Amino acid sequence: MDHFHSEHNELCCESVPLTAIARALGTPTYVYSSAALAANYLAYAEALAGTDHLICYAVKANSNIAVLNQLARLGAGFDIVSGGELARVLAAGGDPARVVFSGVGKSTAEMAEALRAGIHCFNVESAAELERLDRVAGELGLRAPVSLRVNPDIDAGTHPYIATGLAENKFGLPIGEARACYARARAMRHIDIRGVDCHIGSQLTALAPFEAALQRVLLLIAELRADGVPLRHLDLGGGLGVRYGDENPPPPADYVAALRRHTDTLGLCLLIEPGRSIAASAGVLLTRVEYLKENQSRHFAIVDAAMNDLLRPALYQAWMAIEPVTPRHDAPERRYDVVGPVCETGDFLGRGRSLRLAAGDLLCVRGAGAYGFTMSSNYNSRPRAAEVMVAGDRFHVVRDRETTADLLRGERPLPGS
Ligand SMILES: *Cc1c(COP(=O)(O)O)cnc(C)c1O
C-alpha cells in the first residue's frame, strides 16, 4: 500500500494533505510516513519469522531519532557506521545489545564508546583494525565481539559509488585472506569471535549477486567450522533496492526467502542490515517552485530545494520521481529541468520532466526517505530542511528547520581584529 496518495486532487501523506504541512512549516521539508516505515520494517520481520534473526536497520539511510525510535519500538536493531550514529541510537531508545558497528575507519574513541555501550558486534574490515580493537578492548578490560567483514569479489550490478563487494573496493577483507585473519583473531585475548559479515552494495535490483556472495560466504563458513572457529551469526548486510522509476527490485519477502533457502539449516542467527528498503519509500521532499525560466529553448523550474538538501541526483545521476502536490491543468505541459538555487550546474533534482507548472506550485520528490536528509549539507550556507513525521491524521516536527544562528554556530573571526 502506498502511504502517499491523491485525495481530492491533492497529494496526502496518510491522512494529512502535503499542502497543510507546507503551509505550517514552509519548504523545503522532508515528510515521512510512520505507517510506511512500520510496513517496510514489518515486511522483513514477517519474512524472517520462525528463524533466529536480527534486523539491524542501517542508520545512515535516515538517522532522525524519531525514525530510529519508531523502529526500535518495533524491535529493530541497528547498523551504525560512526560514534555519532551510536549516540543517535541511544538517544532514540535503541538497545545497544542489538547494534552492529560497520565501516572501514573506526577511530579509537569510537571503538571505546561502542565497547562501553555494550554493542552486539563489531564488523571488522581489516587486520589492522582487529589489532587496534584488541588493544582498545584490553585497555578497558573488556572483550570485543567481532565478525570479520569479507569482500567476496562480486559485482553487485549497481552504481559504482555504491558497489562495495568488488575486490577493488575499499571494503572488507579479501575473502581469500579471511581464514588466516580468523586464526589471528582467535589468538587475541580481547577479541570474541561471533560471526561472519558481508555487504556487497546498495540499490541491488536482482537476487543473483546476493546469492553469488552468499555461496562464497557459505564455503568460508564450512572452512572456518573445519578449523574449529566458533560462529554464532551470519550477517549478510543490506542493499536491497527500491523502485524509484522503472526498476523492479524483488520484494523483501522474496529476498529473505532466497537467503533462507541456504541459511535456515546452518544453525546460525541470521542478521541483515536493510536501510534504503525500509526508509526510501516512507519519505518525500516537499519543495516550492520559486521561478520558471526559459534559456534558449530549455525550460527551468527553479525550486527552493537544492543539491545540498537532496544530493542523490547530483552525486549518482539518480532519477527520482517529481510530482506536483496539486496538479493543475491551466498551464502548458513543458519539459522542465527542475533545479535548485545552488551555484553548480550539477544542482538539479530532475531533468527533462514533463510537468504543468506555475511559480508558487508545490512539488514533491518521491523516494526521498533514504539517503535524503542524511546526505544534506549547508553548502552555499543554506540552512538544512525541516523534517516531519506523519502518523494518521497528525504531523509532528521531528527536526526544526535550521536557522541562520545554526549556520554560524561555533565560528569566530581571528582575535584582535
Ligand atoms: C549502507 C550499508 C547498509 C545499508 O544499505 P542499504 O542499501 O541502504 O540497504 C548496510 N550495511 C552496510 C555495511 C552499509 O554500509
Side-chain angles (χ1 to χ4, degrees), residues 52-66:
D52 189 15
H53 72 274
L54 182 58
I55 303 166
C56 292
Y57 165 72
V59 173
K60 73 178 189 284
N62 185 327
S63 58
N64 185 286
I65 61 173

Side-chain angles (χ1 to χ4, degrees), residues 58 60-61 79 102 149 199 201-203 237-240 273-276 371:
K60 73 178 189 284
D79 170 47
S102 302
R149 174 171 174 181
H199 169 77
S202 197
Q203 184 54 13
L240 184 61
E273 305 166 350
R276 188 189 308 271
Y371 305 104

Side-chain angles (χ1 to χ4, degrees), residues 307-321:
M307 65 189 287
N308 75 294
D309 299 299
L310 181 61
L311 186 59
R312 298 190 64 258
L315 184 62
Y316 311 122
Q317 293 75 49
W319 190 96
M320 301 177 76

Side-chain angles (χ1 to χ4, degrees), residues 44 56-62 79-81 100-103 123 125 149 162 164 171 197-204 210 235-241 255 272-279 370-371:
Y44 280 106
C56 292
Y57 165 72
V59 173
K60 73 178 189 284
N62 185 327
D79 170 47
I80 60 167
V81 292
V100 297
F101 192 170
S102 302
N123 289 335
E125 305 215 12
R149 174 171 174 181
I162 49 176
T164 60
F171 296 98
D197 173 47
C198 174
H199 169 77
I200 59 172
S202 197
Q203 184 54 13
L204 274 71
F210 288 114
D235 182 343
L236 289 171
L240 184 61
Y255 160 78
I272 54 169
E273 305 166 350
R276 188 189 308 271
S277 50
I278 289 178
Y371 305 104

